[in-house]
Amino acid sequence: MDWLSDHLAAVWLGLAVAFGIAEMFSLDLVMGMLALGALVGLVSALLGAGFAVSAILAAVASVACIAVIRPPLVKRLHGGPELSLGHGKLVGQQGRVTERVTAIESGRVKLAGEIWSAKPYDETLVIEPGETVEVLEIRGATAYVHPVPSLEP
């Protein structure tokens, strides 16, 4: 036990390094939090605390890191913007009607710089050229649109 008390700071440093290396392989942020706890134990050992006190401080710091720091880090690392590809990125965008759109005959709308065939989402509507529309759905190569109300009388 004399050796442990004489080399307590080195033991905590070794544990911190070992947990850090283990974290590189696991990438789940648990070992990293244990490494932070071992660093707290290292600091307390350098300040003259005994093994029991530094072990308690290291355990409390590790549990606190796992409970408080890890969840937001995991959420931030695993989260990100929704990726919309292909036709899905057009849904919700607005465009301008270039040819009359009816339920019987497909018209044309300009969406994101491209001309698309279009039908009204509500089959009772007729949408005239120049009106602004919003894409509600894409089926095949046809955009199903609905007019966007304007503030002009």
Side-chain angles (χ1 to χ4, degrees), residues 15-16 18-39 58-59 61-71 73-74 77-78:
L15 280 173
F19 284 137
I21 291 171
E23 177 61 38
M24 288 197 217
F25 290 106
S26 69
L27 297 176
D28 63 359
L29 297 177
V30 173
M31 294 296 174
M33 301 298 121
L34 294 176
L36 288 174
L39 289 176
S62 295
V63 169
C65 286
I66 290 171
V68 176
I69 296 174
R70 184 178 179 270
L73 281 177
V74 169
L77 289 174
H78 291 277

Side-chain angles (χ1 to χ4, degrees), residues 93-108:
Q93 287 193 4
Q94 292 185 357
R96 180 126 354 238
V97 176
T98 59
E99 288 181 24
R100 188 174 190 211
V101 177
T102 67
I104 298 169
E105 295 180 22
S106 293
R108 302 271 185 239

Side-chain angles (χ1 to χ4, degrees), residues 12 14 22 26 45 48 54 58 74-75 81 88 92 114 117-118 122 131 133 142-144:
W12 285 117
S26 69
S54 63
V74 169
K75 184 177 180 181
E114 298 177 344
S117 62
D122 179 358
E131 288 191 51
V133 291
T142 304
Y144 284 79

